[in-house]
Amino acid sequence: AQYLSNHSDLASVFGSDQYQASIHYIQYGHGEGRSYEALTTTDISSTTTDRTTYQALSDVEALNYLASNHDLAGIFGPNTNQAKAHYEEWGFSEGRTVDNFDELGYLASHSDLMNVFGQDTNNLEINSLEHYINFGISENRQTTFDVMEYINLNNLGGQFSDDLEVAKRHYISNYINEN
């Protein structure tokens, strides 16, 4: 019941049919990052970008769409045109998440990636997304960087408490400068 409660798009398709909802989770939901556990307000507001009105995806949004939907990344790789077409034809109506991937957090979680991509500050997000789609998913790489811990341990609250993305960039930049 919780899976259908978490995802109104599925409830509108399956009604209260728990069996069909379970099949959906096994075949698609898990790969889409959908949760069957109770979601907190923080889970809902900070980890997904949901759309209620169709809008065409930009190239960056298409990469985020692929990074957020592993099943599609496995099929399309980093092909943004195929991702856009899938979202337009099926993804939007299926209620697929467009962006629950933290590009800078992913990069900050992996020193080898910071060494490779950290100097190219104008393309951190794109490079991170493309790496994750091409290699990170299959390597089972996780985002483990805790930006709030970084801010708190380094007394940076006054500087970055309102902009966590800038704090992640700060961490990456400092890592590159110190190594």
Side-chain angles (χ1 to χ4, degrees):
Q2 189 63 52
Y3 185 59
L4 291 172
S5 296
N6 290 350
H7 307 287
S8 60
D9 61 314
L10 300 179
S12 67
V13 173
F14 300 124
S16 60
D17 188 337
Q18 294 297 310
Y19 177 75
Q20 289 300 319
S22 297
I23 296 298
H24 181 275
Y25 179 76
I26 292 165
Q27 292 180 336
Y28 307 105
H30 182 265
E32 294 171 6
R34 292 182 186 245
S35 177
Y36 60 87
E37 297 175 344
L39 298 176
T40 65
T41 304
T42 304
D43 291 334
I44 294 167
S45 65
S46 68
T47 62
T48 62
T49 300
D50 293 321
R51 295 178 177 207
T52 56
T53 306
Y54 174 77
Q55 296 173 332
L57 299 179
S58 69
D59 286 347
V60 172
E61 289 172 325
L63 288 172
N64 272 299
Y65 180 61
L66 292 168
S68 300
N69 294 280
H70 295 177
D71 58 327
L72 301 180
I75 296 167
F76 302 135
N79 187 313
T80 56
N81 289 330
Q82 288 180 328
K84 290 175 185 180
H86 181 277
Y87 182 73
E88 181 178 349
E89 188 148 350
W90 295 289
F92 176 76
S93 64
E94 291 174 1
R96 284 191 182 239
T97 298
V98 173
D99 182 5
N100 69 355
F101 181 71
D102 179 3
E103 305 92 319
L104 294 177
Y106 174 72
L107 191 61
S109 298
H110 302 284
S111 59
D112 61 325
L113 300 182
M114 286 190 288
N115 286 327
V116 172
F117 301 123
Q119 294 291 337
D120 188 5
T121 57
N122 292 327
N123 293 302
L124 292 176
E125 290 88 348
I126 297 293
N127 289 334
S128 180
L129 282 161
E130 288 179 345
H131 181 276
Y132 184 69
I133 293 164
N134 286 320
F135 307 105
I137 293 170
S138 65
E139 293 172 1
N140 201 28
R141 288 193 185 224
Q142 303 296 314
T143 301
T144 58
F145 180 72
D146 184 340
V147 67
M148 291 307 297
E149 181 179 357
Y150 172 68
I151 290 171
N152 293 333
L153 290 175
N154 294 284
N155 298 316
L156 299 170
Q159 191 174 357
F160 297 120
S161 63
D162 292 336
D163 195 339
L164 301 182
E165 297 303 300
V166 172
K168 293 171 197 174
R169 286 182 173 279
H170 182 267
Y171 175 80
I172 293 165
S173 174
N174 282 346
Y175 180 86
I176 294 301
N177 291 334
E178 293 172 6
N179 291 296

PDB file of all heavy atoms in Angstrom, residues 9-32:
ATOM      1  N   ASP A   9       1.118   8.634  -9.482  1.00  0.00           N
ATOM      2  CA  ASP A   9       1.003   8.251 -10.886  1.00  0.00           C
ATOM      3  C   ASP A   9       0.701   6.762 -11.019  1.00  0.00           C
ATOM      4  O   ASP A   9      -0.052   6.343 -11.890  1.00  0.00           O
ATOM      5  CB  ASP A   9       2.270   8.628 -11.661  1.00  0.00           C
ATOM      6  CG  ASP A   9       3.523   7.949 -11.134  1.00  0.00           C
ATOM      7  OD1 ASP A   9       3.728   7.921  -9.895  1.00  0.00           O
ATOM      8  OD2 ASP A   9       4.314   7.458 -11.949  1.00  0.00           O
ATOM      9  N   LEU A  10       1.277   5.952 -10.128  1.00  0.00           N
ATOM     10  CA  LEU A  10       1.026   4.509 -10.168  1.00  0.00           C
ATOM     11  C   LEU A  10      -0.354   4.178  -9.612  1.00  0.00           C
ATOM     12  O   LEU A  10      -1.034   3.291 -10.119  1.00  0.00           O
ATOM     13  CB  LEU A  10       2.100   3.762  -9.387  1.00  0.00           C
ATOM     14  CG  LEU A  10       3.532   3.941  -9.897  1.00  0.00           C
ATOM     15  CD1 LEU A  10       4.497   3.170  -9.022  1.00  0.00           C
ATOM     16  CD2 LEU A  10       3.643   3.520 -11.343  1.00  0.00           C
ATOM     17  N   ALA A  11      -0.749   4.892  -8.573  1.00  0.00           N
ATOM     18  CA  ALA A  11      -2.070   4.654  -7.990  1.00  0.00           C
ATOM     19  C   ALA A  11      -3.163   4.929  -9.014  1.00  0.00           C
ATOM     20  O   ALA A  11      -4.176   4.229  -9.058  1.00  0.00           O
ATOM     21  CB  ALA A  11      -2.262   5.512  -6.743  1.00  0.00           C
ATOM     22  N   SER A  12      -2.926   5.933  -9.876  1.00  0.00           N
ATOM     23  CA  SER A  12      -3.936   6.229 -10.894  1.00  0.00           C
ATOM     24  C   SER A  12      -4.010   5.126 -11.951  1.00  0.00           C
ATOM     25  O   SER A  12      -5.042   4.932 -12.577  1.00  0.00           O
ATOM     26  CB  SER A  12      -3.658   7.580 -11.552  1.00  0.00           C
ATOM     27  OG  SER A  12      -2.471   7.538 -12.302  1.00  0.00           O
ATOM     28  N   VAL A  13      -2.927   4.376 -12.126  1.00  0.00           N
ATOM     29  CA  VAL A  13      -2.912   3.282 -13.094  1.00  0.00           C
ATOM     30  C   VAL A  13      -3.388   1.981 -12.463  1.00  0.00           C
ATOM     31  O   VAL A  13      -4.222   1.270 -13.020  1.00  0.00           O
ATOM     32  CB  VAL A  13      -1.494   3.085 -13.689  1.00  0.00           C
ATOM     33  CG1 VAL A  13      -1.423   1.842 -14.565  1.00  0.00           C
ATOM     34  CG2 VAL A  13      -1.067   4.319 -14.462  1.00  0.00           C
ATOM     35  N   PHE A  14      -2.861   1.656 -11.272  1.00  0.00           N
ATOM     36  CA  PHE A  14      -3.126   0.360 -10.649  1.00  0.00           C
ATOM     37  C   PHE A  14      -4.251   0.377  -9.621  1.00  0.00           C
ATOM     38  O   PHE A  14      -4.650  -0.687  -9.142  1.00  0.00           O
ATOM     39  CB  PHE A  14      -1.862  -0.166  -9.965  1.00  0.00           C
ATOM     40  CG  PHE A  14      -0.705  -0.364 -10.904  1.00  0.00           C
ATOM     41  CD1 PHE A  14       0.508   0.251 -10.671  1.00  0.00           C
ATOM     42  CD2 PHE A  14      -0.815  -1.171 -12.022  1.00  0.00           C
ATOM     43  CE1 PHE A  14       1.577   0.069 -11.525  1.00  0.00           C
ATOM     44  CE2 PHE A  14       0.243  -1.359 -12.896  1.00  0.00           C
ATOM     45  CZ  PHE A  14       1.440  -0.728 -12.650  1.00  0.00           C
ATOM     46  N   GLY A  15      -4.745   1.567  -9.276  1.00  0.00           N
ATOM     47  CA  GLY A  15      -5.763   1.637  -8.233  1.00  0.00           C
ATOM     48  C   GLY A  15      -5.189   1.108  -6.930  1.00  0.00           C
ATOM     49  O   GLY A  15      -4.142   1.558  -6.475  1.00  0.00           O
ATOM     50  N   SER A  16      -5.832   0.113  -6.337  1.00  0.00           N
ATOM     51  CA  SER A  16      -5.328  -0.477  -5.095  1.00  0.00           C
ATOM     52  C   SER A  16      -4.780  -1.885  -5.311  1.00  0.00           C
ATOM     53  O   SER A  16      -4.606  -2.638  -4.357  1.00  0.00           O
ATOM     54  CB  SER A  16      -6.443  -0.501  -4.040  1.00  0.00           C
ATOM     55  OG  SER A  16      -7.529  -1.284  -4.517  1.00  0.00           O
ATOM     56  N   ASP A  17      -4.480  -2.232  -6.556  1.00  0.00           N
ATOM     57  CA  ASP A  17      -3.989  -3.565  -6.891  1.00  0.00           C
ATOM     58  C   ASP A  17      -2.529  -3.720  -6.468  1.00  0.00           C
ATOM     59  O   ASP A  17      -1.600  -3.342  -7.188  1.00  0.00           O
ATOM     60  CB  ASP A  17      -4.140  -3.810  -8.394  1.00  0.00           C
ATOM     61  CG  ASP A  17      -3.819  -5.249  -8.796  1.00  0.00           C
ATOM     62  OD1 ASP A  17      -3.078  -5.938  -8.054  1.00  0.00           O
ATOM     63  OD2 ASP A  17      -4.311  -5.666  -9.858  1.00  0.00           O
ATOM     64  N   GLN A  18      -2.326  -4.276  -5.263  1.00  0.00           N
ATOM     65  CA  GLN A  18      -0.994  -4.441  -4.702  1.00  0.00           C
ATOM     66  C   GLN A  18      -0.123  -5.390  -5.526  1.00  0.00           C
ATOM     67  O   GLN A  18       1.090  -5.205  -5.622  1.00  0.00           O
ATOM     68  CB  GLN A  18      -1.082  -4.958  -3.255  1.00  0.00           C
ATOM     69  CG  GLN A  18      -1.706  -3.976  -2.298  1.00  0.00           C
ATOM     70  CD  GLN A  18      -0.878  -2.712  -2.184  1.00  0.00           C
ATOM     71  OE1 GLN A  18       0.321  -2.758  -1.975  1.00  0.00           O
ATOM     72  NE2 GLN A  18      -1.534  -1.574  -2.338  1.00  0.00           N
ATOM     73  N   TYR A  19      -0.731  -6.391  -6.113  1.00  0.00           N
ATOM     74  CA  TYR A  19       0.031  -7.345  -6.907  1.00  0.00           C
ATOM     75  C   TYR A  19       0.668  -6.651  -8.109  1.00  0.00           C
ATOM     76  O   TYR A  19       1.865  -6.784  -8.364  1.00  0.00           O
ATOM     77  CB  TYR A  19      -0.861  -8.501  -7.370  1.00  0.00           C
ATOM     78  CG  TYR A  19      -0.127  -9.472  -8.268  1.00  0.00           C
ATOM     79  CD1 TYR A  19       0.793 -10.378  -7.730  1.00  0.00           C
ATOM     80  CD2 TYR A  19      -0.307  -9.451  -9.645  1.00  0.00           C
ATOM     81  CE1 TYR A  19       1.498 -11.247  -8.560  1.00  0.00           C
ATOM     82  CE2 TYR A  19       0.386 -10.314 -10.474  1.00  0.00           C
ATOM     83  CZ  TYR A  19       1.287 -11.217  -9.924  1.00  0.00           C
ATOM     84  OH  TYR A  19       1.983 -12.062 -10.737  1.00  0.00           O
ATOM     85  N   GLN A  20      -0.120  -5.896  -8.871  1.00  0.00           N
ATOM     86  CA  GLN A  20       0.403  -5.190 -10.037  1.00  0.00           C
ATOM     87  C   GLN A  20       1.428  -4.138  -9.626  1.00  0.00           C
ATOM     88  O   GLN A  20       2.425  -3.929 -10.311  1.00  0.00           O
ATOM     89  CB  GLN A  20      -0.727  -4.553 -10.848  1.00  0.00           C
ATOM     90  CG  GLN A  20      -1.573  -5.548 -11.593  1.00  0.00           C
ATOM     91  CD  GLN A  20      -0.757  -6.374 -12.582  1.00  0.00           C
ATOM     92  OE1 GLN A  20       0.113  -5.877 -13.277  1.00  0.00           O
ATOM     93  NE2 GLN A  20      -1.036  -7.676 -12.621  1.00  0.00           N
ATOM     94  N   ALA A  21       1.188  -3.484  -8.499  1.00  0.00           N
ATOM     95  CA  ALA A  21       2.149  -2.498  -7.996  1.00  0.00           C
ATOM     96  C   ALA A  21       3.471  -3.177  -7.644  1.00  0.00           C
ATOM     97  O   ALA A  21       4.553  -2.630  -7.922  1.00  0.00           O
ATOM     98  CB  ALA A  21       1.583  -1.777  -6.783  1.00  0.00           C
ATOM     99  N   SER A  22       3.402  -4.358  -7.069  1.00  0.00           N
ATOM    100  CA  SER A  22       4.624  -5.107  -6.738  1.00  0.00           C
ATOM    101  C   SER A  22       5.384  -5.498  -7.993  1.00  0.00           C
ATOM    102  O   SER A  22       6.614  -5.401  -8.042  1.00  0.00           O
ATOM    103  CB  SER A  22       4.283  -6.370  -5.945  1.00  0.00           C
ATOM    104  OG  SER A  22       3.692  -6.033  -4.721  1.00  0.00           O
ATOM    105  N   ILE A  23       4.668  -5.941  -8.998  1.00  0.00           N
ATOM    106  CA  ILE A  23       5.297  -6.297 -10.271  1.00  0.00           C
ATOM    107  C   ILE A  23       5.980  -5.060 -10.861  1.00  0.00           C
ATOM    108  O   ILE A  23       7.109  -5.127 -11.344  1.00  0.00           O
ATOM    109  CB  ILE A  23       4.259  -6.879 -11.269  1.00  0.00           C
ATOM    110  CG1 ILE A  23       3.683  -8.192 -10.731  1.00  0.00           C
ATOM    111  CG2 ILE A  23       4.874  -7.054 -12.648  1.00  0.00           C
ATOM    112  CD1 ILE A  23       4.698  -9.296 -10.538  1.00  0.00           C
ATOM    113  N   HIS A  24       5.288  -3.913 -10.816  1.00  0.00           N
ATOM    114  CA  HIS A  24       5.876  -2.679 -11.336  1.00  0.00           C
ATOM    115  C   HIS A  24       7.165  -2.350 -10.592  1.00  0.00           C
ATOM    116  O   HIS A  24       8.166  -1.987 -11.213  1.00  0.00           O
ATOM    117  CB  HIS A  24       4.900  -1.506 -11.222  1.00  0.00           C
ATOM    118  CG  HIS A  24       5.485  -0.237 -11.768  1.00  0.00           C
ATOM    119  ND1 HIS A  24       6.288   0.592 -11.014  1.00  0.00           N
ATOM    120  CD2 HIS A  24       5.414   0.311 -13.007  1.00  0.00           C
ATOM    121  CE1 HIS A  24       6.684   1.605 -11.769  1.00  0.00           C
ATOM    122  NE2 HIS A  24       6.162   1.461 -12.975  1.00  0.00           N
ATOM    123  N   TYR A  25       7.141  -2.458  -9.267  1.00  0.00           N
ATOM    124  CA  TYR A  25       8.353  -2.143  -8.495  1.00  0.00           C
ATOM    125  C   TYR A  25       9.512  -3.055  -8.908  1.00  0.00           C
ATOM    126  O   TYR A  25      10.626  -2.580  -9.123  1.00  0.00           O
ATOM    127  CB  TYR A  25       8.104  -2.276  -6.990  1.00  0.00           C
ATOM    128  CG  TYR A  25       9.350  -1.978  -6.202  1.00  0.00           C
ATOM    129  CD1 TYR A  25       9.773  -0.668  -6.028  1.00  0.00           C
ATOM    130  CD2 TYR A  25      10.139  -3.000  -5.689  1.00  0.00           C
ATOM    131  CE1 TYR A  25      10.943  -0.380  -5.339  1.00  0.00           C
ATOM    132  CE2 TYR A  25      11.305  -2.726  -5.009  1.00  0.00           C
ATOM    133  CZ  TYR A  25      11.702  -1.411  -4.832  1.00  0.00           C
ATOM    134  OH  TYR A  25      12.873  -1.134  -4.167  1.00  0.00           O
ATOM    135  N   ILE A  26       9.260  -4.335  -9.048  1.00  0.00           N
ATOM    136  CA  ILE A  26      10.309  -5.288  -9.410  1.00  0.00           C
ATOM    137  C   ILE A  26      10.844  -4.992 -10.814  1.00  0.00           C
ATOM    138  O   ILE A  26      12.051  -4.969 -11.034  1.00  0.00           O
ATOM    139  CB  ILE A  26       9.781  -6.741  -9.314  1.00  0.00           C
ATOM    140  CG1 ILE A  26       9.505  -7.087  -7.849  1.00  0.00           C
ATOM    141  CG2 ILE A  26      10.760  -7.724  -9.938  1.00  0.00           C
ATOM    142  CD1 ILE A  26       8.668  -8.331  -7.655  1.00  0.00           C
ATOM    143  N   GLN A  27       9.949  -4.748 -11.760  1.00  0.00           N
ATOM    144  CA  GLN A  27      10.371  -4.556 -13.144  1.00  0.00           C
ATOM    145  C   GLN A  27      10.899  -3.153 -13.434  1.00  0.00           C
ATOM    146  O   GLN A  27      11.813  -3.003 -14.237  1.00  0.00           O
ATOM    147  CB  GLN A  27       9.208  -4.860 -14.090  1.00  0.00           C
ATOM    148  CG  GLN A  27       8.835  -6.319 -14.099  1.00  0.00           C
ATOM    149  CD  GLN A  27       7.669  -6.613 -15.041  1.00  0.00           C
ATOM    150  OE1 GLN A  27       6.868  -5.747 -15.362  1.00  0.00           O
ATOM    151  NE2 GLN A  27       7.576  -7.861 -15.466  1.00  0.00           N
ATOM    152  N   TYR A  28      10.334  -2.139 -12.778  1.00  0.00           N
ATOM    153  CA  TYR A  28      10.689  -0.763 -13.129  1.00  0.00           C
ATOM    154  C   TYR A  28      11.011   0.117 -11.921  1.00  0.00           C
ATOM    155  O   TYR A  28      11.978   0.882 -11.970  1.00  0.00           O
ATOM    156  CB  TYR A  28       9.534  -0.085 -13.897  1.00  0.00           C
ATOM    157  CG  TYR A  28       9.063  -0.868 -15.085  1.00  0.00           C
ATOM    158  CD1 TYR A  28       7.858  -1.572 -15.038  1.00  0.00           C
ATOM    159  CD2 TYR A  28       9.815  -0.928 -16.249  1.00  0.00           C
ATOM    160  CE1 TYR A  28       7.416  -2.293 -16.133  1.00  0.00           C
ATOM    161  CE2 TYR A  28       9.382  -1.651 -17.351  1.00  0.00           C
ATOM    162  CZ  TYR A  28       8.182  -2.335 -17.279  1.00  0.00           C
ATOM    163  OH  TYR A  28       7.754  -3.053 -18.351  1.00  0.00           O
ATOM    164  N   GLY A  29      10.205   0.056 -10.909  1.00  0.00           N
ATOM    165  CA  GLY A  29      10.299   0.998  -9.796  1.00  0.00           C
ATOM    166  C   GLY A  29      11.645   1.036  -9.109  1.00  0.00           C
ATOM    167  O   GLY A  29      12.187   2.114  -8.837  1.00  0.00           O
ATOM    168  N   HIS A  30      12.195  -0.136  -8.827  1.00  0.00           N
ATOM    169  CA  HIS A  30      13.498  -0.179  -8.167  1.00  0.00           C
ATOM    170  C   HIS A  30      14.553   0.508  -9.027  1.00  0.00           C
ATOM    171  O   HIS A  30      15.340   1.324  -8.540  1.00  0.00           O
ATOM    172  CB  HIS A  30      13.902  -1.622  -7.865  1.00  0.00           C
ATOM    173  CG  HIS A  30      15.201  -1.716  -7.139  1.00  0.00           C
ATOM    174  ND1 HIS A  30      16.394  -1.912  -7.796  1.00  0.00           N
ATOM    175  CD2 HIS A  30      15.497  -1.602  -5.824  1.00  0.00           C
ATOM    176  CE1 HIS A  30      17.375  -1.928  -6.913  1.00  0.00           C
ATOM    177  NE2 HIS A  30      16.858  -1.735  -5.716  1.00  0.00           N
ATOM    178  N   GLY A  31      14.577   0.215 -10.317  1.00  0.00           N
ATOM    179  CA  GLY A  31      15.534   0.824 -11.235  1.00  0.00           C
ATOM    180  C   GLY A  31      15.342   2.321 -11.396  1.00  0.00           C
ATOM    181  O   GLY A  31      16.276   3.050 -11.695  1.00  0.00           O
ATOM    182  N   GLU A  32      14.122   2.790 -11.181  1.00  0.00           N
ATOM    183  CA  GLU A  32      13.817   4.211 -11.275  1.00  0.00           C
ATOM    184  C   GLU A  32      14.126   4.936  -9.969  1.00  0.00           C
ATOM    185  O   GLU A  32      13.990   6.146  -9.895  1.00  0.00           O
ATOM    186  CB  GLU A  32      12.330   4.413 -11.602  1.00  0.00           C
ATOM    187  CG  GLU A  32      11.937   3.907 -12.963  1.00  0.00           C
ATOM    188  CD  GLU A  32      10.422   3.904 -13.185  1.00  0.00           C
ATOM    189  OE1 GLU A  32       9.676   4.411 -12.320  1.00  0.00           O
ATOM    190  OE2 GLU A  32       9.987   3.372 -14.207  1.00  0.00           O
TER     191      GLU A  32
END
